[in-house]
Amino acid sequence: MIGGLFIYNHKGEVLISRVYRDDIGRNAVDAFRVNVIHARQQVRSPVTNIARTSFFHVKRSNIWLAAVTKQNVNAAMVFEFLYKMCDVMTAYFGKISEENIKNNFVLIYELLDEILDFGYPQNSETGALKTFITQQGIKGQSQTKEEQSQITSQVTGQIGWRREGIKYRRNELFLDVLESVNLLMSPQGQVLSAHVSGRVVMKSYLSGMPECKFGMNDKIVIDKQGKGGTTEDTGKSDLGGGSSGKQSIAIDDCTFHQCVRLSKFDSERSISFIPPDGEYELMRYRTTKDIILPFRVIPLVREVGRTKLEVKVVIKSNFKPSLLAQKIEVRIPTPLNTSGVQVICMKGKAKYKASENAIVWKIKRMAGMKESQISAEIELLPTNDKKKWARPPISMNFEVPFAPSGLKVRYLKVFESKLNYSDHDVIKWVRYIGRSGIYETRC
Amino acid sequence: MTDSKYFTTTKKGEIFELKAELNSDKKEKKKEAVKKVIASMTVGKDVSALFPDVVNCMQTDNLELKKLVYLYLMNYAKSQPDMAIMAVNTFVKDCEDLNPLIRALAVRTMGCIRVDKITEYLCEPLRKCLKDEDPYVRKTAAVCVAKLHDINAQLVEDQGFLDTLKDLISDSNPMVVANAVAALSEIAESHPNSNLLDLNPQTINKLLTALNECTEWGQIFILDCLANYSPRDDRESQSICERVTPRLSHANSAVVLSAVKVLMKFMEMLPKDLDYYGTLLKKLAPPLVTLLSAEPELQYVALRNINLIVQRRPEILKHEMKVFFVKYNDPIYVKLEKLDIMIRLASQANIAQVLAELKEYATEVDVDFVRKAVRAIGRCAIKVEQSAERCVSTLLDLIQTKVNYVVQEAIVVIKDIFRKYPNKYESVIATLCEHLESLDEPEARAAMIWIVGEYAERIDNADELLESFLEGFHDESTQVQLQLLTAIVKLFLKKPTETQELVQQVLSLATQDSDNPDLRDRGYIYWRLLSTDPVAAKEVVLAEKPLISEETDLIEPTLLEELICHIGTLASVYHKPPSAFVEGSRGVQHKRLTSSAGSGESVESPDTGSAAVSEAPPTVIPSQGDLLGDLLNLDLTPPTSTGPPPTTAPGMQLGAMDLLGGGLDSLIGDESEPPPIPLRTDTPQSPQPPHQSPSPPHYSPTEVAPGNHTGSLGGDIGGSPAMGTGFGAPPAAMPASFNAPISGGLDDLFDLGGGGGLTMGTYIPPKSVWLPAMKAKGLEISGTFVRRSGVIQMEMTLNNKAMSVMSDFAIQFNRNSFGLAPAGPLQILTPISPNQSIEAALPLSTVGPVMKMEPLNNLQVAVKNNIDVFYFSCQYPISMLFLEDGKMERQVFLATWKDIPNENESQFQIKDCHLNSDAASNKLQGSNIFTIAKRTVEGQDMLYQSMKLTNGIWVLAELRVQAGNPNYTISLKCRAPEVSQCVFQNYETVLKN
């Protein structure tokens, strides 16, 4: 199991050092500093073995987190724990920065004592932790016996992510379907690989211990219902608008927050859960079939002699004309020996950024089924370098108000038997956002 | 509230000030001071001087202050054990507190303080906490048992905590169950044979129930524990799999990977024709692909594991090639791993896509990545024959880029393509030759030289090209030198008229001006071959080469099986067994997959039987060919008087190994059974990795060069200009002490009869034929080895099956692992007439020159008589080398056992041995294997034994004998683990005879 956990700033100074196991000595702290942080190289493996000690490291802005062990630990678990640790710290004091860590070091030690015991991760849900570890010092002195046992049963219980007795005057929930669409296209316009990785993020402000059921246009469920002929769920509580697009989508794979009953999903493919309070990620999914690619990039690069390049890039939007894409940015890489660039674009603004070796073309808004073009002349300095320019792909960023995978939320039902509110009283909001992930076209 | 101010105090006299503040009456001030202390502690300052003052703050109602003091205690208690006692009272009191959070805190902290005196006081509170009404306290106490076990294992056993811990597996609270499982698993690891976890269908059922309810981390503990269970039959296996599969949809990648581990393991039990088996395979792919959208560090872990899974069950991901395409912004470690998997998944169906990708990668920035991509193109060519042509043209395109390292890498892989598809792509040679000058890496140079030599007849100016390399011959690295030597000899054999001068030049460079034994040996062999029989030389040097295999870089199957059992863990990331990087006793047990019995799946996992069977090297006598090189080696280098013990110096694997391992295999073709040479050896003639031995000899010159060639070769030795002394010279003078008991062969015969009583119990292997008559012009030698009152003897029967009288016998040994050498001349006084046989005993000493042999106990011998010189090799039982004073003191044994690192331990099974432990002990004693202690645990006898080798190496053994079970388990520990295999074989032969 994890033998120790260290947090360093970018200079390699220790901000937090907590040792859990006897086999980890103080010299491990220095070994990591010298061999990894001070090496100042590109990290060539996230697991580094120094003198039979393994270091798992993760970097968040300028901060290094390193878990240390001398045993054959579950490596995936260690990384998951480090990410979780980051989440917990962010939930407590915001951004992970040197200042914030120094300001909260007592709190961090407290958290580390609680969520990692002898190197074994314990309950690390902020919802539960916040009931007894707070920034204003620990609660505990003034608690009644009932409160105490409520805390402990929650920390160790089946529903570790939610505490009892939550009350809201207005029961409300927000569902965000956030998708990032990834594309790799050949210069000829052939799709080399494309997939959507999506997340359903839920913000819930619900009283009591509500039982929720979530439904979407999952092909497997729809097909099953089509056969069975039951239409009970459809229509009435449809939140997605269901106006257009595909009836159902094929989901390659999905993973769920630990609140979702996985065995029920496995057997019935229904998604039921008691949600944590506030914001959390309900599920992640991945699709590869019938993806709507919001933009198409058509590059044309011509080398004119040894000192000049001509680049022409056309982008076409491929969605309903009534929808608007936002924050569009096209990044056209230029060779290292570029000396000057002239750009002409029909729409938006384009600039050559020498420090990034790229022409960056920005368009604020663009409606569907439109087309725009940029052309540029790149002057090159003559070099002796034999190696040809690697021609990195042209990448794109954008945001569109629909889900490129075609996913639609069909319903989210809330049941709370003990309190007197019903599914109809809950105000529900759904939003779809499609963003570019790695959206690249080779040129 | 900002705590950062605590980090800034760097004044002098700080400690003094802190002391004052700690003793302040004001609570707030105290707390501030403790915070400052903790901050100093974090940055590495020594604040242990404040120990008493900090401990004084412990008695407080303020939980925050208490936690800070505890933190301090955990860090410094060990350095101030006496002072730490001051804290005991508070701990004990806190363990009784009304607030469960405080009870848990106290027991948690106490477990972290590794001071004996505190530990004593821990037992009672811990016992109470394990049965506490509050689950939070119980789950903390469960982990505390593991802590205590780490400090004092005996105490945990004596106090019966293990049983309480086992009871917690049935606890009503899922987190308590999970922590109990984690604690038990950890404790069980340090007691490999205790049935601590006691996994049976009932407990498994409990664990599977808890799996649905506990936290993500708890699920990981439980899944990792489940993976250690062996289901009784395929039905149980299936039902567990069914209950584990829902975990594949968990958001936590570690839960997913641990579930994959359980499924991969239990799948072995399922019959392949079962519908469920197919369903399961289909269910595994999507979650594995999903892991690739996790954060890069986790992707890396996932990819390393997928690499293993793909090797074990390629069918799972065969349609998912595209997800392994490299993204431009992937971190380099993700890119390299993806590339590896892409090659593994490459097949005829997807090769076009793969090649297009690889070509793209070859133009990227990172040098390592580009090299690997180029290499990958070559591997595709070798793997998918249909794509070879396209691969070659892609490689040629890449060579045109003239990027130095791309060109070099391409040439290295093209050489492999030539070997795989001979006489197909030689048209590109001209293009390759254009780049001769730009090659500066040894591997690329060697590859290019090989190509020039191999196709010398098609390259007009081959001699000029090779000559240009010759100028800086001594500055080249060994592999280039060896390659150059071979290439020029090839050239000479192909175009003898114009290149005579060149070949003489290279031969003299290699033999006279070089210090490198590999090079010299190879040089001499060529020289002699060329001077004695050019026809034979041609047959040998230009022989057909064995084909190279398609699959490359595969992990060795037994290791792969073990790693599959470690999916998700560090072992799977390093691709090494845990014993290779974990110290201490943990993780030493080798896990293996168990397949379903009798369902015809044994082909799937061939080594599930026992390690011993598969690991035992074939005890064939190496064919004469091996000797050739070694014996030639014999006289060329001055013998070292007493070499260091061979097994402790890995550097001792000298030239001969190299030559025999693979050096000659491409020079000397083998018509009989060419073993496929893994592509890993990147130049065609580079040696096989030594760990692959014992491999069957790669060639047998008796077939290549018929008997009389061997003979004339041997006969020529004396006359060769480079040879120092021939075989005629008598070996080293006999030590005086040996003179008395050994007068001659005949006397020794009597000795054999008379001395029977002395050697009672000693196992003497029966004589076996070492040198058959047909290989030695009628001389047949059979023999065995005996150790008698401390003297090692080689007993031989020499049988003359020829028509003429034999006389003038002499004997000599090649250097060997333990420095065995004749202690005197071979005493055969009378000539042996036809059809007469004669007994001879040769006393041996162990002070001869040392060289590591493979197998370790191999001995290569040359015998000369009036007719010729003959070579053979034999293996001596290692017990010949066990000294009579090999009995270790008990304490020393214990200390040594602990002292030897665990990776030096090896386990073997001895099957079908029907002795009880005492009989076995007696029998072994006869061979100087001494039993030091015997312990009986649960009907199992454990014998602890020691033996000492002539070169001072101690071997410690633990022999486990279960009454009624004919299979013994033996663990051997030795500082030189190489001897273990030999020792085990010896055990087996002694016990079974």
Side-chain angles (χ1 to χ4, degrees):
Chain A
M1 282 308 113
I2 299 172
L5 204 135
F6 307 129
I7 301 180
Y8 300 85
N9 65 10
H10 67 287
K11 285 185 252 170
E13 292 164 354
V14 199
L15 304 178
I16 298 287
S17 122
R18 177 73 163 89
V19 173
Y20 294 94
R21 298 255 170 169
D22 204 38
D23 53 0
I24 302 298
R26 181 85 202 174
N27 51 356
V29 183
D30 303 322
F32 183 73
R33 173 185 21 247
V34 172
N35 286 291
V36 180
I37 302 182
H38 286 177
R40 303 213 181 276
Q41 290 162 350
Q42 196 186 15
V43 171
R44 296 200 81 89
S45 162
V47 186
T48 309
N49 193 313
I50 308 164
R52 300 179 73 84
T53 310
S54 300
F55 295 81
F56 298 76
H57 41 96
V58 167
K59 209 177 167 193
R60 288 284 181 275
S61 63
N62 271 333
I63 300 297
W64 293 82
L65 280 92
V68 193
T69 185
K70 283 204 164 179
Q71 297 169 28
N72 182 30
V73 296
N74 188 320
M77 186 188 78
V78 176
F79 279 122
E80 283 283 2
F81 176 79
L82 286 175
Y83 302 144
K84 195 68 172 194
M85 182 70 207
C86 293
D87 292 349
V88 171
M89 289 197 290
T90 314
Y92 267 95
F93 52 75
K95 194 171 164 269
I96 295 176
S97 64
E98 179 169 356
E99 203 193 346
N100 278 345
I101 288 174
K102 279 186 170 174
N103 282 340
N104 294 285
F105 85 98
V106 175
L107 170 75
I108 295 174
Y109 275 124
E110 246 191 276
L111 287 169
L112 281 177
D113 196 41
E114 186 57 45
I115 61 180
L116 208 52
D117 190 5
F118 201 41
Y120 290 106
Q122 304 292 304
N123 193 333
S124 49
E125 286 300 313
T126 27
L129 289 170
K130 279 188 171 171
T131 57
F132 66 110
I133 297 179
T134 69
Q135 267 165 300
Q136 283 74 45
I138 306 115
K139 284 184 189 170
Q141 284 94 316
S142 55
Q143 287 159 342
T144 62
K145 200 164 181 236
E146 288 72 42
E147 279 173 327
Q148 286 165 2
S149 71
Q150 203 191 325
I151 291 171
T152 58
S153 76
Q154 195 207 330
V155 174
T156 60
Q158 292 182 29
I159 310 163
W161 52 87
R162 190 180 179 94
R163 64 192 166 89
E164 299 223 23
I166 297 171
K167 280 214 171 67
Y168 288 102
R169 270 180 48 214
R170 203 156 91 128
N171 288 302
E172 203 169 14
L173 67 84
F174 299 83
L175 269 181
D176 280 347
V177 177
L178 307 170
E179 295 197 338
S180 87
V181 51
N182 297 276
L183 170 75
L184 184 62
M185 196 176 251
S186 75
Q188 294 76 34
Q190 186 194 356
V191 176
L192 296 173
S193 75
H195 75 271
V196 167
S197 55
R199 307 187 297 142
V200 179
V201 175
M202 183 172 172
K203 254 183 251 175
S204 71
Y205 303 101
L206 302 169
S207 312
M209 289 299 228
E211 181 71 40
C212 297
K213 210 173 166 193
F214 175 72
M216 54 188 178
N217 58 341
D218 177 0
K219 195 165 190 290
I220 298 174
V221 179
I222 304 277
D223 289 356
K224 223 197 272 174
Q225 279 175 357
K227 277 177 208 155
T230 48
T231 49
E232 181 201 0
D233 287 335
T234 45
K236 209 162 50 175
S237 46
D238 192 337
L239 293 164
S243 49
S244 69
K246 291 163 287 181
Q247 283 300 304
S248 61
I249 61 159
I251 292 175
D252 286 27
D253 188 37
C254 47
T255 60
F256 296 98
H257 185 266
Q258 58 167 319
C259 67
V260 176
R261 296 183 187 92
L262 293 179
S263 38
K264 211 158 176 190
F265 178 75
D266 194 57
S267 55
E268 304 163 24
R269 221 171 160 87
S270 73
I271 304 164
S272 63
F273 53 95
I274 296 172
D277 194 39
E279 183 171 338
Y280 74 102
E281 189 180 286
L282 174 66
M283 73 176 276
R284 278 180 187 228
Y285 57 92
R286 188 167 46 82
T287 71
T288 46
K289 287 199 187 71
D290 305 324
I291 293 167
I292 309 159
L293 296 169
F295 285 95
R296 163 90 205 271
V297 177
I298 305 153
L300 197 75
V301 181
R302 214 157 63 90
E303 286 175 42
V304 188
R306 291 195 61 196
T307 57
K308 204 169 149 193
L309 273 180
E310 278 180 12
V311 181
K312 199 175 108 179
V313 176
V314 179
I315 59 166
K316 284 182 181 169
S317 59
N318 175 34
F319 44 88
K320 271 192 283 180
S322 57
L323 299 174
L324 274 181
Q326 293 186 73
K327 301 177 190 166
I328 301 148
E329 186 185 292
V330 182
R331 186 171 282 263
I332 305 161
T334 56
L336 295 172
N337 54 337
T338 302
S339 61
V341 175
Q342 273 112 44
V343 228
I344 312 157
C345 59
M346 290 151 47
K347 218 178 161 204
K349 281 179 192 161
K351 227 186 208 170
Y352 166 63
K353 293 194 173 169
S355 59
E356 296 166 34
N357 289 310
I359 298 167
V360 181
W361 176 26
K362 286 184 181 170
I363 306 170
K364 276 192 185 141
R365 261 182 290 287
M366 189 164 170
M369 308 313 275
K370 289 265 185 337
E371 180 174 323
S372 194
Q373 186 182 332
I374 186 172
S375 45
E377 271 186 29
I378 302 170
E379 306 273 344
L380 303 175
L381 291 169
T383 55
N384 300 328
D385 196 359
K386 271 192 205 158
K387 195 180 176 203
K388 261 174 65 185
W389 177 46
R391 282 204 189 182
I394 295 174
S395 59
M396 231 196 129
N397 288 314
F398 55 79
E399 201 178 292
V400 289
F402 60 90
S405 70
L407 182 130
K408 291 273 187 290
V409 177
R410 288 174 52 227
Y411 58 84
L412 198 148
K413 292 186 207 160
V414 182
F415 310 94
E416 167 54 283
S417 47
K418 286 182 197 149
L419 299 173
N420 54 349
Y421 70 94
S422 74
D423 184 41
H424 297 290
D425 305 327
V426 181
I427 305 158
K428 303 168 187 169
W429 306 85
V430 183
R431 179 165 66 158
Y432 297 89
I433 300 173
R435 291 198 184 97
S436 51
I438 294 162
Y439 204 84
E440 293 176 337
T441 307
R442 289 184 178 151
C443 58
Chain B
M1 185 175 65
T2 58
D3 290 347
S4 56
K5 59 176 186 277
Y6 304 117
F7 282 92
T8 52
T9 51
T10 47
K11 291 172 285 181
K12 275 188 183 172
E14 187 190 354
I15 298 275
F16 186 75
E17 259 177 48
L18 282 173
K19 214 177 176 85
E21 284 175 40
L22 284 169
N23 292 316
S24 151
D25 295 331
K26 288 185 192 136
K27 253 190 190 171
E28 267 314 298
K29 210 159 190 184
K30 259 191 190 177
K31 199 153 96 186
E32 296 290 285
V34 177
K35 281 188 185 178
K36 281 184 203 165
V37 173
I38 302 288
S40 307
M41 191 176 86
T42 300
V43 296
K45 280 185 212 159
D46 183 18
V47 282
S48 58
L50 297 167
F51 200 90
D53 309 283
V54 177
V55 173
N56 273 337
C57 301
M58 193 171 159
Q59 283 155 336
T60 172
D61 302 332
N62 186 316
L63 194 52
E64 190 183 7
L65 182 56
K66 187 166 263 178
K67 283 191 177 180
L68 288 172
V69 176
Y70 281 180
L71 189 62
Y72 179 90
L73 266 176
M74 284 186 263
N75 263 300
Y76 287 113
K78 217 175 156 190
S79 58
Q80 312 234 350
D82 296 326
M83 299 266 225
I85 305 299
M86 292 161 59
V88 165
N89 271 336
T90 324
F91 277 129
V92 174
K93 216 173 89 199
D94 279 357
C95 287
E96 309 265 313
D97 198 283
L98 283 177
N99 187 341
L101 292 170
I102 294 189
R103 292 202 295 276
L105 178 65
V107 79
R108 183 166 68 211
T109 314
M110 247 174 129
C112 294
I113 297 178
R114 305 175 65 90
V115 174
D116 288 341
K117 283 169 191 156
I118 293 212
T119 316
E120 283 168 31
Y121 287 96
L122 176 60
C123 291
E124 279 321 300
L126 180 57
R127 198 186 313 283
K128 273 187 205 153
C129 287
L130 281 167
K131 304 220 160 111
D132 200 284
E133 53 170 24
D134 195 291
Y136 185 79
V137 181
R138 290 200 300 275
K139 72 112 183 158
T140 312
V143 176
C144 192
V145 176
K147 293 180 189 169
L148 186 59
H149 187 270
D150 192 39
I151 305 170
N152 190 340
Q154 197 58 46
L155 190 68
V156 171
E157 280 174 43
D158 295 347
Q159 296 277 331
F161 285 139
L162 293 181
D163 293 325
T164 326
L165 204 52
K166 277 189 210 165
D167 294 342
L168 287 184
I169 289 190
S170 319
D171 200 279
S172 58
N173 185 295
M175 196 161 180
V176 178
V177 178
N179 276 5
V181 167
L184 277 173
S185 304
E186 179 170 337
I187 295 171
E189 260 180 47
S190 48
H191 295 276
N193 297 312
S194 68
N195 199 14
L196 203 56
L197 264 166
D198 191 26
L199 293 176
N200 55 44
Q202 286 77 39
T203 25
I204 292 296
N205 200 30
K206 279 177 205 155
L207 293 183
L208 286 168
T209 313
L211 190 60
N212 288 324
E213 294 167 349
C214 61
T215 66
E216 44 193 331
W217 313 116
Q219 296 184 19
I220 300 170
F221 305 153
I222 292 180
L223 287 168
D224 284 351
C225 172
L226 273 179
N228 290 326
Y229 176 63
S230 315
R232 291 162 307 171
D233 51 31
D234 51 339
R235 292 199 25 215
E236 191 186 7
S237 199
Q238 180 177 345
S239 87
I240 295 175
C241 286
E242 279 167 356
R243 292 177 73 178
V244 167
T245 31
R247 297 298 119 197
L248 294 175
S249 304
H250 202 287
N252 188 315
S253 311
V255 175
V256 177
L257 267 179
S258 291
V260 169
K261 164 164 59 190
V262 175
L263 297 174
M264 282 293 288
K265 229 189 133 179
F266 289 6
M267 208 193 281
E268 301 285 335
M269 300 274 295
L270 300 176
K272 276 196 163 164
D273 44 2
L274 196 71
D275 285 347
Y276 182 71
Y277 179 84
T279 320
L280 198 54
L281 278 183
K282 272 192 212 121
K283 276 194 173 174
L284 275 170
L288 287 174
V289 173
T290 298
L291 291 176
L292 297 184
S293 47
E295 287 84 345
E297 292 87 2
L298 266 175
Q299 275 187 52
Y300 175 73
V301 174
L303 286 165
R304 293 292 283 176
N305 279 290
I306 289 171
N307 201 329
L308 299 173
I309 293 167
V310 165
Q311 288 184 56
R312 181 77 196 162
R313 299 206 176 272
E315 61 271 33
I316 296 178
L317 286 166
K318 66 178 172 207
H319 299 303
E320 303 287 349
M321 167 63 92
K322 276 188 174 179
V323 299
F324 297 104
F325 284 180
V326 169
K327 292 180 192 144
Y328 193 72
N329 290 324
D330 280 334
I332 183 66
Y333 49 83
V334 170
K335 284 185 178 177
L336 291 171
E337 292 308 316
K338 279 188 175 171
L339 196 49
D340 236 16
I341 295 170
M342 276 174 69
I343 302 163
R344 294 207 194 288
L345 292 177
S347 66
Q348 205 184 329
N350 56 24
I351 195 74
Q353 275 182 318
V354 174
L355 263 183
E357 281 295 305
L358 292 176
K359 200 176 170 185
E360 201 70 37
Y361 303 161
T363 60
E364 280 216 31
V365 189
D366 191 282
V367 178
D368 285 350
F369 181 61
V370 171
R371 282 172 176 273
K372 199 163 184 175
V374 176
R375 213 163 262 234
I377 296 173
R379 277 168 66 181
C380 284
I382 289 164
K383 201 173 167 189
V384 185
E385 187 165 357
Q386 292 80 356
S387 76
E389 196 157 344
R390 230 172 327 164
C391 293
V392 172
S393 76
T394 310
L395 288 169
L396 284 179
D397 286 352
L398 289 171
I399 288 177
Q400 294 308 334
T401 64
K402 297 198 163 60
V403 180
N404 189 285
Y405 53 84
V406 173
V407 175
Q408 310 212 35
E409 207 64 44
I411 286 183
V412 172
V413 292
I414 286 181
K415 172 218 64 195
D416 287 335
I417 296 175
F418 282 174
R419 283 207 63 190
K420 172 79 183 185
Y421 309 109
N423 303 317
K424 220 167 164 188
Y425 299 109
E426 282 71 15
S427 52
V428 309
I429 290 175
T431 326
L432 301 183
C433 289
E434 286 166 24
H435 296 272
L436 213 56
E437 267 113 69
S438 66
L439 308 178
D440 53 11
E441 290 160 22
E443 206 183 347
R445 286 174 83 87
M448 193 64 221
I449 293 170
W450 181 85
I451 292 172
V452 174
E454 187 66 19
Y455 298 101
E457 69 274 25
R458 307 189 192 193
I459 306 170
D460 294 337
N461 59 344
D463 49 341
E464 283 170 36
L465 293 177
L466 292 175
E467 199 172 359
S468 68
F469 282 102
L470 214 50
E471 282 160 22
F473 188 79
H474 289 296
D475 302 327
E476 299 282 3
S477 73
T478 310
Q479 61 167 325
V480 179
Q481 290 177 332
L482 288 170
Q483 229 25 274
L484 198 50
L485 172 61
T486 306
I488 291 179
V489 172
K490 280 183 192 166
L491 174 69
F492 172 69
L493 290 168
K494 286 172 180 176
K495 303 180 181 174
T497 44
E498 350 87 87
T499 55
Q500 199 152 7
E501 207 173 304
L502 193 61
V503 80
Q504 265 165 1
Q505 202 182 341
V506 78
L507 285 175
S508 79
L509 277 172
T511 52
Q512 281 158 23
D513 301 340
S514 171
D515 298 332
N516 186 325
D518 294 11
L519 189 63
R520 263 193 333 230
D521 290 356
R522 197 184 279 193
Y524 278 126
I525 287 183
Y526 286 147
W527 199 325
R528 277 177 215 125
L529 264 173
L530 293 173
S531 57
T532 36
D533 190 345
V535 182
K538 210 161 187 167
E539 274 179 55
V540 168
V541 178
L542 302 180
E544 221 166 280
K545 280 157 284 299
L547 283 181
I548 47 181
S549 72
E550 295 177 5
E551 281 300 336
T552 51
D553 287 349
L554 287 180
I555 294 176
E556 191 258 325
T558 24
L559 178 60
L560 182 62
E561 281 188 21
E562 189 178 351
L563 292 179
I564 289 287
C565 300
H566 287 292
I567 284 178
T569 68
L570 256 185
S572 72
V573 174
Y574 291 148
H575 288 185
K576 285 178 188 161
S579 51
F581 58 90
V582 176
E583 278 168 7
S585 53
R586 289 196 181 94
V588 198
Q589 322 149 50
H590 292 274
K591 296 186 179 174
R592 333 190 102 244
L593 296 174
T594 40
S595 73
S596 59
S599 62
E601 274 211 308
S602 48
V603 190
E604 259 286 299
S605 44
D607 350 47
T608 37
S610 90
V613 174
S614 59
E615 279 161 23
T619 49
V620 286
I621 296 173
S623 73
Q624 276 190 319
D626 291 28
L627 298 170
L628 219 102
D630 281 5
L631 286 172
L632 292 172
N633 207 358
L634 193 73
D635 281 0
L636 297 174
T637 29
T640 44
S641 52
T642 33
T647 42
T648 48
M652 294 297 291
Q653 295 170 352
L654 282 178
M657 271 281 290
D658 171 8
L659 252 177
L660 300 170
L664 278 171
D665 57 359
S666 56
L667 308 176
I668 307 176
D670 177 7
E671 278 93 8
S672 55
E673 277 183 352
I677 297 173
L679 186 55
R680 191 179 322 173
T681 64
D682 288 302
T683 55
Q685 273 104 338
S686 67
Q688 276 203 306
H691 67 82
Q692 293 223 339
S693 331
S695 55
H698 284 165
Y699 66 98
S700 69
T702 39
E703 293 192 24
V704 177
N708 60 338
H709 282 139
T710 327
S712 62
L713 211 160
D716 234 37
I717 289 175
S720 167
M723 295 298 286
T725 48
F727 277 100
M734 190 167 63
S737 57
F738 285 131
N739 269 332
I742 302 130
S743 47
L746 281 168
D747 284 8
D748 224 83
L749 256 179
F750 293 114
D751 203 33
L752 197 111
L758 253 176
T759 55
M760 191 63 140
T762 311
Y763 166 62
I764 302 165
K767 282 187 182 174
S768 56
V769 176
W770 286 339
L771 182 69
M774 53 186 293
K775 285 204 177 173
K777 302 189 177 167
L779 175 65
E780 187 192 69
I781 300 179
S782 53
T784 185
F785 292 86
V786 183
R787 185 184 180 91
R788 251 188 222 115
S789 23
V791 179
I792 310 167
Q793 291 199 359
M794 184 165 162
E795 297 188 339
M796 288 178 286
T797 307
L798 287 81
N799 199 340
N800 183 355
K801 295 192 171 169
M803 305 300 285
S804 56
V805 176
M806 293 180 178
S807 61
D808 301 329
F809 284 94
I811 193 164
Q812 196 162 11
F813 292 177
N814 190 8
R815 289 183 290 170
N816 54 66
S817 310
F818 295 95
L820 280 178
L826 184 62
Q827 301 271 351
I828 297 172
L829 302 171
T830 48
I832 313 174
S833 37
N835 277 330
Q836 188 197 352
S837 72
I838 200 164
E839 301 286 341
L842 182 71
L844 306 180
S845 73
T846 53
V847 292
V850 168
M851 180 178 72
K852 189 173 173 183
M853 300 298 292
E854 199 64 56
L856 215 56
N857 56 344
N858 197 17
L859 181 66
Q860 303 182 332
V861 183
V863 169
K864 176 193 146 317
N865 63 8
N866 57 333
I867 299 168
D868 214 327
V869 183
F870 307 106
Y871 309 96
F872 62 87
S873 76
C874 51
Q875 292 180 16
Y876 47 88
I878 201 164
S879 60
M880 291 307 112
L881 304 166
F882 293 160
L883 293 177
E884 277 69 22
D885 61 348
K887 187 161 185 171
M888 220 178 215
E889 289 292 329
R890 272 172 183 243
Q891 274 78 15
V892 182
F893 181 90
L894 272 176
T896 320
W897 183 272
K898 276 187 196 149
D899 203 21
I900 297 175
N902 274 307
E903 61 266 33
N904 284 8
E905 183 172 352
S906 24
Q907 259 201 15
F908 304 94
Q909 290 264 332
I910 299 173
K911 297 209 150 181
D912 292 312
C913 192
H914 297 279
L915 296 168
N916 67 17
S917 60
D918 288 334
S921 170
N922 282 337
K923 217 163 186 183
L924 290 166
Q925 177 118 19
S927 299
N928 288 344
I929 298 173
F930 298 95
T931 304
I932 295 167
K934 178 179 161 185
R935 195 154 74 100
T936 308
V937 181
E938 295 169 356
Q940 203 178 29
D941 287 339
M942 323 265 255
L943 296 177
Y944 295 92
Q945 301 174 319
S946 72
M947 55 226 96
K948 184 186 178 186
L949 290 167
T950 46
N951 55 6
I953 294 177
W954 286 90
V955 183
L956 310 186
E958 184 199 55
L959 187 66
R960 286 196 292 266
V961 182
Q962 186 122 33
N965 183 350
N967 294 346
Y968 293 3
T969 312
I970 178 162
S971 304
L972 292 171
K973 251 184 166 186
C974 179
R975 290 197 195 278
E978 299 93 308
V979 302
S980 301
Q981 183 67 42
C982 276
V983 174
F984 155 65
Q985 283 169 7
N986 190 64
Y987 261 89
E988 200 166 41
T989 37
V990 171
L991 286 174
K992 288 190 180 172
N993 289 288

